[in-house]
Amino acid sequence: MKNYYYVPTNLDLEALLVAGGYFGTIKPAVLDRFYYFMDIIYTTRVIHKLETHKYIFIHHKYLVNVLTTRWASDVKSILKELEIIEEKSSYLPGCYSKSFRFTTAYRNSQFKRIQISHLKLVERLELQQLMHTEILANKHEGIGLIIKSLQKLEFDFEGALGFLAAGMYEVPEMHRRQIVIDEFKGARYIHRRDPASRIYHVLTKCPRDLRQFVTFKGQPLFSVDICDCQPALHATLFPAASVEKQSFIDVVSQGRFKTVLNERQTDPFDLQEPCEKDILKKELFRHVFYGSAYANNESEIKNAFREFWPSLADKIADMKADNDLSRLPVLMQKTEAGVVIDKVVPELAQRHKGDENFCLISIHDCLVTTNPYIDEVKIALINGFKELLGFDLIAKVTRITKEELPSNHDSFAA
C-alpha cells in the first residue's frame, strides 16, 4: 500500500490554509486530500518525463471516487485560490476534462516525500484501481491475459534498491524509479487504456534499467519488438498506387529506417550506442512525425525524410495543418493497438486458455513473454502487422531480465 505523497519542499500548506482562513482543513484526514491531488500532478509528470510546465489531465469523476463528493471540488478550488496550482479547460476525445499544473512558485521546486496519515483514502484509491482492472479484464480477453500475467510477475526489491542506491540520478529520475518500485510493491497492475486504446501498467511505466529485476514465476522475461513499427504504420497514409510507397516499404521492412536517414546527417549518430539511438529517435518524432507543422526550424533529419519520401512528408504536414498535434499520433497509436491489443493478444489468449505458465504482456508495439513462447509470439506479431500493412516487418528479441537471477524472488502481488 502507498504510504507517502510527493509535495514541493518550499510549500507550507498548513500555514497557507490558516492564512486563507481555512481553519477546518487543518487536520490529517483533510490535509491528505490536498497532498493526494498534488501527488497526482507530480508523479504523472515524473513517470511520463513531462516538462514542468505541462498540464496534467485529472478527471473530476475519478477525484470524486477517491476524495468523495464533499471534497473533490473544494480541494481543487482551494489549491487554486492559494495559488498552488492552476487549471486549464481542455478537450479529450469522448469527454471534456480539465488539466492542472503547479504555479511558477512550485513547479520547479524540489519535491519531498511526506508520510500518509489518512489510510482510508489510500484504501479507497486502491479499491478504485482494483475495480478498474477487473472491468477491463472482464471486457477484453486479451487484456485479461495481460493482467493475469502481470499478477504473476516477481520483482527483486533488494537488487533494485541496491541498484538505485548505487546510481547517480537527478532527483526526478530517482523519484521516477522509487514510484515504480512502490507500484510493484502495491500490486497496481493496469492503470488505464488511453484514447488511442494503448494499455498502461506497471511495466510500461518501469524504466528500462529497472526491468532487469522482473521475472515471471522465476523465469527470465524477453521482449519481442517490431523494428521501425511507428514509421511503418505511416505506410497506411500513402495512396494505393503510390510509386514512392514501395521505396518506403523496402526501407522499413528491413528495419533500416533510422539507418538510412542517419547516413544523410553531417554528423551521424552512433546507432550502436543506446543513448545516441534514443536521441535520433526523439529527433525523428520531433521533426518528422509529430512535431508542429509551423515550426520554422529546419533539421537535416527532416530534410532527408522529405528528399526520400516527399508525398508522405506532404501528407503528414496536411494532417498537422489545423495544429491539432494529437491527431496523427493518436491515429497511429490506435492502428498499432488495433493489431497488438485487439488482434494478436486475444488470438494468443484463446490459444493458451487455461495455460497458467503462459506469459504475455504488452509494452505498446512490443510483447513480453518467457523463453518457451518466444517464437510463437514473434510469428503472431509479425503476421498481425502483415495482415494490416501487406508486408513483413522484422521482430527483434531482447532479454529483459538480467543474466543472473536473484536467489530468492518476492512476488509483488504478495
Side-chain angles (χ1 to χ4, degrees), residues 101-157:
R101 68 182 180 186
F102 288 98
T103 58
T104 52
Y106 302 104
R107 75 176 67 136
N108 294 316
S109 166
Q110 294 291 326
F111 280 69
K112 63 182 178 182
R113 297 199 291 185
I114 61 167
Q115 196 72 25
I116 291 174
S117 56
H118 186 42
L119 294 179
K120 285 187 178 179
L121 188 67
V122 183
E123 290 170 0
R124 201 154 47 234
L125 167 64
E126 297 197 342
L127 179 61
Q128 285 296 316
Q129 291 174 330
L130 180 61
M131 290 170 61
H132 178 62
T133 297
E134 288 177 351
I135 290 169
L136 279 174
N138 291 332
K139 278 185 175 179
H140 194 291
E141 185 176 25
I143 295 176
L145 171 60
I146 292 170
I147 291 171
K148 286 179 182 177
S149 298
L150 285 164
Q151 290 170 341
K152 293 174 185 173
L153 290 184
E154 296 162 338
F155 190 80
D156 177 16
F157 293 106

Side-chain angles (χ1 to χ4, degrees), residues 4-225:
Y4 62 86
Y5 294 129
Y6 283 99
V7 299
T9 54
N10 64 340
L11 172 66
D12 187 341
L13 181 60
E14 293 188 43
L16 290 175
L17 289 169
V18 169
Y22 295 106
F23 302 103
T25 62
I26 311 300
K27 47 189 176 184
V30 180
L31 288 171
D32 269 14
R33 287 178 163 88
F34 290 104
Y35 293 138
Y36 166 76
F37 188 84
M38 290 186 280
D39 182 81
I40 292 177
I41 297 174
Y42 178 71
T43 57
T44 302
R45 175 166 62 79
V46 168
I47 282 290
H48 296 289
K49 302 178 79 171
L50 302 174
E51 295 176 9
T52 60
H53 67 275
K54 295 291 186 182
Y55 285 88
I56 306 300
F57 289 106
I58 304 175
H59 297 292
H60 183 71
K61 183 178 177 181
Y62 179 80
L63 286 178
V64 168
N65 290 337
V66 178
L67 300 182
T68 73
T69 306
R70 162 71 180 86
W71 285 105
S73 295
D74 284 356
V75 163
K76 290 189 290 187
S77 62
I78 292 172
L79 287 174
K80 285 190 293 179
E81 184 181 327
L82 297 178
E83 298 183 345
I84 297 170
I85 65 165
E86 50 196 24
E87 173 186 292
K88 179 176 76 171
S89 295
S90 305
Y91 179 73
L92 277 178
C95 63
Y96 282 94
S97 183
K98 291 180 179 178
S99 54
F100 305 86
R101 68 182 180 186
F102 288 98
T103 58
T104 52
Y106 302 104
R107 75 176 67 136
N108 294 316
S109 166
Q110 294 291 326
F111 280 69
K112 63 182 178 182
R113 297 199 291 185
I114 61 167
Q115 196 72 25
I116 291 174
S117 56
H118 186 42
L119 294 179
K120 285 187 178 179
L121 188 67
V122 183
E123 290 170 0
R124 201 154 47 234
L125 167 64
E126 297 197 342
L127 179 61
Q128 285 296 316
Q129 291 174 330
L130 180 61
M131 290 170 61
H132 178 62
T133 297
E134 288 177 351
I135 290 169
L136 279 174
N138 291 332
K139 278 185 175 179
H140 194 291
E141 185 176 25
I143 295 176
L145 171 60
I146 292 170
I147 291 171
K148 286 179 182 177
S149 298
L150 285 164
Q151 290 170 341
K152 293 174 185 173
L153 290 184
E154 296 162 338
F155 190 80
D156 177 16
F157 293 106
E158 185 179 339
L161 290 171
F163 177 81
L164 197 59
M168 299 293 290
Y169 296 104
E170 297 291 331
V171 171
E173 285 298 318
M174 174 69 78
H175 286 173
R176 182 180 173 219
R177 285 158 177 79
Q178 288 173 335
I179 291 164
V180 168
I181 290 172
D182 286 338
E183 296 219 337
F184 275 113
K185 285 181 180 176
R188 289 185 282 278
Y189 308 120
I190 295 287
H191 294 271
R192 63 190 173 96
R193 191 169 193 189
D194 71 5
S197 295
R198 283 179 158 192
I199 299 295
Y200 288 83
H201 49 73
V202 69
L203 209 55
T204 59
K205 286 184 172 186
C206 187
R208 290 181 185 178
D209 58 9
L210 286 187
R211 289 178 187 168
Q212 64 178 310
F213 300 103
V214 186
T215 54
F216 177 84
K217 299 175 72 172
Q219 300 176 67
L221 294 175
F222 295 83
S223 67
V224 183
D225 195 6

